[in-house]
């Protein structure tokens, strides 16, 4: 018979697959960090309209339009602005919710790992700062790609 003694092979596979899934979710957190502000405001718009008595369809449509509109507007402004102060302000607007989401994820990760005390806080802050910097990096990467398209002449 092939496998671990006592039939522990399925459990071993589940532990390995669970670790891979956890690493994928951590990577997903950093890739989606710049979407924290649009998603939060889209959800707020959805709940506001739903609580005021509008239908589910209208509330869902307004939430989606708010989130997508804010996301596209923020990226467009960040890529078109040449002033460093305004770019910093836009970047900080996107970084704050991403950092808060990273802080919550870091606290949850520390709880899953069984870390208590000061190390739990350190891990939470580290993940929060990493998520906020990933949000800035995502905005800056879009600036270089959109700026390259903007500076090319259309007619020669």
């Amino acid at each position: 018979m092939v496998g671990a003694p006592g039939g522990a092979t399925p459990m071993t596979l589940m532990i390995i697959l669970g670790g891979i899934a956890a690493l994928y979710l951590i990577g997903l957190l950093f890739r989606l960090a710049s979407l924290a502000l649009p998603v939060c405001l889209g959800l707020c718009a959805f709940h506001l309209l739903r609580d005021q008595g509008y239908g589910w369809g209208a509330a869902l449509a307004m939430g989606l339009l708010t989130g997508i509109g804010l996301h596209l507007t923020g990226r467009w402004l960040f890529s078109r602005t040449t002033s460093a102060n305004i770019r910093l302000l836009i970047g900080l607007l996107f970084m704050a919710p991403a950092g808060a989401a990273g802080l919550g994820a870091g606290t949850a990760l520390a709880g899953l790992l069984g870390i208590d005390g000061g190390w739990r806080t350190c891990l939470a802050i580290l993940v929060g700062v990493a998520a906020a910097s990933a949000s800035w990096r995502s905005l800056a990467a879009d600036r270089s790609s959109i700026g390259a398209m903007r500076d090319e002449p259309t007619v020669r």
Side-chain angles (χ1 to χ4, degrees):
M1 186 146 142
V2 177
T9 301
M11 182 55 102
T12 304
L13 287 175
M14 292 303 289
I15 290 172
I16 292 170
L17 291 176
I20 291 171
L23 289 174
Y24 177 76
L25 289 175
I26 290 171
L28 190 63
L29 168 76
F30 294 123
R31 282 194 301 273
L32 297 177
S34 65
L35 298 177
L37 178 66
V39 167
C40 180
L41 290 181
L43 283 173
C44 288
F46 167 76
H47 286 294
L48 179 71
L49 288 178
R50 191 194 61 182
D51 291 344
Q52 289 181 354
Y54 291 93
W56 283 89
L60 183 62
M62 186 52 72
L64 285 172
L65 287 174
T66 301
I68 292 170
L70 180 74
H71 176 70
L72 293 176
T73 303
R75 288 186 182 268
W76 184 80
L77 283 174
F78 192 84
S79 68
R80 298 289 180 171
T81 303
T82 57
S83 171
N85 291 334
I86 295 175
R87 287 185 63 217
L88 179 65
L89 178 66
I90 294 169
L92 289 175
L93 282 173
F94 277 81
M95 287 173 64
L103 188 71
T107 303
L109 180 64
L112 287 174
L113 295 174
I115 300 172
D116 289 327
W119 289 109
R120 179 183 194 132
T121 305
C122 288
L123 181 64
I125 291 173
L126 180 69
V127 173
V129 168
S133 66
S135 175
W136 178 270
R137 193 177 61 231
S138 174
L139 283 172
D142 284 346
R143 175 173 164 65
S144 63
S145 65
I146 293 174
M149 290 188 300
R150 177 189 61 187
D151 293 336
E152 292 177 358
T154 55
V155 179
R156 291 188 187 226

